[in-house]
Amino acid sequence: MHITVLAGGIGGARFTRGLLHHLSGIGDGDVDVTVIGNTGDDIRLFGLQICPDLDTVMYTLGNGISRERGWGREDETFTVKEELAAYGVAPGWFGLGDRDTATHLVRTQMLAAGYPLSAVTEALCARWEPGIRLLPMSDDRLETHVIVDDEEPGTRRAIHFQEWWIRHRAGIPAHGFVLVGVDEATPAPGVIEAIRDADVVLLPPSNPIVSIGTILQVPGIREALRATAAPVVGVSPIIGGAPVHGMADACLAAVGVDTSASAVARHYGARRSAVPAGADAGGILDGWLVHASSDSASVDELTPLGIATRAVPLLMTDIEATASIASAALDLAASITR
Ligand code: GDP
Ligand code: CA
């Protein structure tokens, strides 16, 4: 059995850790998991190519993640960051850890030597042994930029996603997102095959706009999801009208989507309609998990639209709770296949 997961950073990584725990619990060694990671958050700073979401997945599944922060390395120090600040070198807002910097150095050196990001990621994962195959969504350099107001009234400018997210804590209004480079981008080797040949495709509770939404923009990926024979099941990152962590509400507002579990599902859209049964409905979802009980009303709202919806507890409080969420997603997928 092949499971393919489209993931951002923390939400995607934690869900996948729970999925692997569930699979090992049922003793199913015959399952392989491929994670397609968002690279729209990538940023080049101080000459280093930094891939925050790929690293979050790699460190989380390789047991190197900071449990306290949820990103970056455990036992981290920030001497390099402090020394850069002492030189007055901007930006000072990016959390560049010393241990983490070694990862960025290896990656940057390999990219400079001509290796594609997918090969670099595989090489980095050889150390961390994450128990999954981690593929960047694309080997092409892609960056999410955010359209914000400029100082001069009536004019706008674009800033890097990380500047908006970390420096401004998503606190300045966004008018939209641009994935710079997407027109010429292609999926990384193996990405389309991983979706096409999957038995189940899972969308973890990652940010629907700037994590999963970004992956869907890479030419060919959305089409592959729409065409795969595998059921596509998602988990809501929105519980009771708010993100569990972070500022996903600011991203949803920027593209005119309500911050609710059902609005996110409708944004993804059903692959096939319920009436007439099986007609192409233009979206990517077959199934959707919402939080019980705050969002249970979504079940009756979404099921007639062709999105098989179930309400189960969706808080990833510990690995057992997260494994239960993954198990519920696989159960829902199995019910759709039948
Ligand atoms: P990022 O790239 O690090 O921002 O992480 P992701 O895009 O993968 O995931 C971020 C999303 O995870 C946020 O929108 C959160 O609401 C969601 N999230 C975090 N913890 C939980 C949880 O325990 N349960 C659910 N359902 N969603 C969560
Ligand atoms: Ca991210």
Side-chain angles (χ1 to χ4, degrees), residues 15 21 29 125 138 167 176 186 252 298 305:
F15 174 82
H21 187 71
C125 284
S138 177
R167 184 182 184 192
T186 55
L252 290 163
S298 304
L305 303 179

Side-chain angles (χ1 to χ4, degrees), residues 23-57:
L23 294 172
S24 70
I26 59 175
D28 207 334
D30 229 22
V31 182
D32 60 79
V33 178
T34 298
V35 173
I36 299 170
N38 171 41
T39 59
D41 288 18
D42 293 10
I43 187 165
R44 196 167 290 181
L45 289 178
F46 317 113
L48 301 175
Q49 187 66 18
I50 302 175
C51 300
D53 284 359
L54 293 180
D55 288 350
T56 296
V57 172

